[in-house]
Amino acid sequence: MVTVPDSIALVPVPSSLVRVDGPAFRFGPGLRLVTGDTPEEISLGVLAADLVGRRVGHPIDLVMGADGEGQVIAFALDPQAGPAGAEAAERYALTVTDVRIEITAPTPAGLLRGLTTLRQLGVRGADGVLEVPAVVIEDGPRYAWRGLSLDVVRHFLSVDLVKAVLSVMGDYKLNVLHLHLTDDQGWRIALPSRPLLTELSGQGEVGGGAGGFYTAEDYATLVAYAAARHITIVPEIDMPGHINAALHAYGELTPTGEATSAYTGIEVGFSQLDPDLPATARFLTDVFTDLAAMTPGEYLHIGGDEVFGLGAPEYAWFVRTAQDIAHAAGKKVVGWQEIVGAPLDPGAVVQYWDTRVATEPFVAAALAGATLLLSPGSKVYLDMKYDAATELGLEWAGHIELRDAYEWEPEDLIPGLPAGSILGVEAAVWTETITTGDDLFGMLLPRLAAVAEVAWSPADSRDWEGFRTRVAGQAALWDHAGLAWYRSPQVDW
Ligand code: TNX
């Protein structure tokens, strides 16, 4: 158990934090930033100098190589750094004395996670000078996949808004942004082989608003903005259901050959592809191949949820075909939990969301080589209302107050899973009722910080009382960034 003094309000709480007797590091005028001279260390150093400089209010010198005299923040790659056992790619160690802050990590991603911790550690002293208390932190993630699924279809979210989401994700050490890019109401990603998808279905959204879509350049911008934060984008094309936007653009995908009407409601489960039409397989090949070519990350999400109009063999054909196309394009697949009923290749990721179903099939899939991504609707669906008085949001999975999003144990959700089969935890926010950035952040914050801690911190470091104290310290940062957030009555803000 890590007992964190009140003044150290880290979220997520680190694996190990020792408060050292000794004066704080006070950011002085001669402070220099020192990195190793590999390209990764230099680019991290540039980012760190910028971030630290903004916070202290004057530019910081970046030096490569030797430390020299005076106050230093040093970043270095070191294969041994960080706690043993933690997910290796993102662990780090952070040591603070009055003259030196040192961050070491085995990878550039780990250095960035350490820098993120350093930013949360800084507090203004009585004289207004930024200070960091003397500490030794060893930290690393519990799970390799710590995600957020974002529905940019029901209401379209601009590139700038998605960037703001990525920034907040980085602040809480989340590392996967899953973009739900297609659904009944719209098609939000331009694909070169199928231009009508966005020409005819890019506009429009729930309630009849304008909608919109990402061009290939927009998408590349988001991928790069995410990559700078060591966040991977996992794009989803939802099929064979939730597909009306495609049927509206390409009539050849319907049995009559007639395009369907645009849809602006919020019902689910009424549209599906037809496995008997020759156009269907061509369509799947085109869209997943294009998407793979635009996506540097190793995963494509193939959807698979809420298909009410197909038999099991037809549904299985879609899952089989989408896996084959993704593999041919060099990608692994993720699908919503319903894919568990279809034959899966080893390495497929099953995203668990509806906690009302029997859990045995997930155990069977894991025994056969699948891994589980946990998005239990009743805990991490951040489009659920906080309570009956919440203006926005849905209620089908219940109300989710901050404590509900925090106080659950991933390993207890699905009894009997083989060890190591949980790949990670992913929050989700669906946008049927969410239109603006304020709407969105008002639902995400503070609950996203809670889910991030569930996904990052070791089970024995977490406790609600500690979290409710530490999360209160985040509100000033959200205010400073101009972000809306929900004043949960469970926290003394
Ligand atoms: C279920 S979760 C859906 C979405 C809705 C969401 C609303 C899932 C895989 N499908 O289509 O937007 O509920 O909470």
Side-chain angles (χ1 to χ4, degrees):
M1 172 76 71
V2 180
T3 315
V4 184
D6 287 358
S7 60
I8 301 185
L10 294 178
V11 179
V13 68
S15 310
S16 147
L17 181 154
V18 178
R19 184 72 191 259
V20 180
D21 250 349
F25 183 100
R26 289 168 54 81
F27 285 68
L31 166 67
R32 287 166 313 130
L33 226 139
V34 179
T35 74
D37 53 11
T38 65
E40 292 90 354
E41 288 164 301
I42 294 169
S43 57
L44 194 273
V46 171
L47 178 66
D50 179 55
L51 291 172
V52 175
R54 281 168 201 259
R55 190 78 200 275
V56 297
H58 59 79
I60 307 282
D61 276 342
L62 177 61
V63 189
M64 259 88 48
D67 279 27
E69 295 291 299
Q71 262 200 325
V72 157
I73 303 179
F75 291 87
L77 288 173
D78 171 0
Q80 307 303 326
E87 285 288 338
E90 296 177 276
R91 58 193 165 86
Y92 69 92
L94 168 62
T95 309
V96 181
T97 69
D98 56 344
V99 290
R100 186 180 172 85
I101 295 175
E102 185 168 278
I103 299 177
T104 53
T107 64
L111 289 177
L112 182 65
R113 302 303 172 228
L115 173 63
T116 303
T117 298
L118 175 62
R119 293 179 67 206
Q120 285 189 2
L121 279 175
V123 287
R124 299 257 166 224
D127 54 3
V129 174
L130 197 62
E131 296 185 353
V132 179
V135 289
V136 176
I137 292 174
E138 299 236 306
D139 195 17
R142 180 177 186 188
Y143 293 114
W145 184 309
R146 305 174 308 281
L148 172 66
S149 170
L150 191 61
D151 171 11
V152 299
V153 178
R154 272 53 175 273
H155 284 97
F156 179 62
L157 306 178
S158 70
V159 169
D160 281 349
L161 186 46
V162 177
K163 283 183 176 175
V165 170
L166 283 162
S167 294
V168 171
M169 288 177 66
D171 289 344
Y172 298 103
K173 301 187 172 79
L174 294 169
N175 68 348
V176 178
L177 177 64
H178 162 185
L179 287 176
H180 181 77
L181 290 167
T182 72
D183 212 304
D184 290 315
Q185 298 86 350
W187 192 282
R188 307 298 183 207
I189 180 81
L191 299 177
S193 66
R194 294 282 175 158
L196 296 184
L197 289 168
T198 44
E199 275 172 36
L200 297 177
S201 291
Q203 309 303 316
E205 60 185 12
V206 167
F213 66 90
Y214 307 128
T215 64
E217 294 73 38
D218 291 338
Y219 183 73
T221 299
L222 291 175
V223 166
Y225 193 88
R229 287 153 184 78
H230 291 280
I231 297 173
T232 303
I233 291 197
V234 174
E236 176 186 353
I237 287 179
D238 199 352
M239 63 96 230
H242 288 272
I243 198 76
N244 184 65
L247 308 184
H248 176 62
Y250 287 95
E252 69 193 40
L253 296 173
T254 73
T256 62
E258 295 272 323
T260 60
S261 305
Y263 183 67
T264 59
I266 67 166
E267 295 302 318
V268 299
F270 61 86
S271 64
Q272 63 265 319
L273 292 169
D274 184 336
D276 295 330
L277 296 174
T280 299
R282 286 199 301 268
F283 174 77
L284 292 181
T285 303
D286 285 351
V287 297
F288 284 119
T289 305
D290 277 359
L291 194 64
M294 298 160 73
T295 301
E298 56 177 340
Y299 288 98
L300 300 183
H301 200 303
I302 62 171
D305 58 317
E306 298 175 316
V307 184
F308 304 143
L310 288 178
E314 290 75 29
Y315 178 82
W317 179 84
F318 280 101
V319 176
R320 172 77 272 140
T321 302
Q323 286 179 103
D324 289 345
I325 299 165
H327 294 162
K331 304 297 183 188
K332 302 184 193 173
V333 302
V334 191
W336 294 110
Q337 71 184 30
E338 288 90 333
I339 66 166
V340 81
L344 298 178
D345 291 330
V349 179
V350 176
Q351 187 167 11
Y352 176 71
W353 63 277
D354 187 346
T355 56
R356 299 166 296 192
V357 304
T359 54
E360 289 79 7
F362 302 105
V363 178
L367 287 168
T371 53
L372 271 291
L373 177 60
L374 302 179
S375 300
S378 55
K379 307 290 180 194
V380 305
Y381 265 34
L382 305 185
D383 59 315
M384 293 300 122
K385 291 177 184 290
Y386 292 94
D387 60 27
T390 310
E391 189 191 331
L392 302 174
L394 303 178
E395 301 183 285
W396 67 264
H399 295 154
I400 304 181
E401 245 298 351
L402 181 59
R403 187 169 185 166
D404 303 310
Y406 183 79
E407 217 170 29
W408 60 283
E409 167 48 42
E411 307 285 331
D412 293 346
L413 268 190
I414 301 175
L417 276 184
S421 47
I422 298 178
L423 180 59
V425 171
E426 185 169 288
V429 61
W430 303 92
T431 56
E432 286 94 337
T433 66
I434 292 168
T435 310
T436 66
D438 283 357
D439 292 351
L440 179 64
F441 283 107
M443 297 304 270
L444 290 179
L445 300 174
R447 293 183 293 193
L448 189 63
V451 181
E453 183 156 310
V454 173
W456 176 278
S457 304
D460 64 0
S461 292
R462 302 207 282 122
D463 77 300
W464 164 251
E465 283 305 323
F467 177 74
R468 71 185 281 280
T469 309
R470 287 178 289 104
V471 78
Q474 305 301 305
L477 303 174
W478 301 332
D479 286 340
H480 183 72
L483 299 173
W485 54 280
Y486 164 69
R487 218 177 166 80
S488 167
Q490 300 179 325
V491 172
D492 302 319
W493 298 102

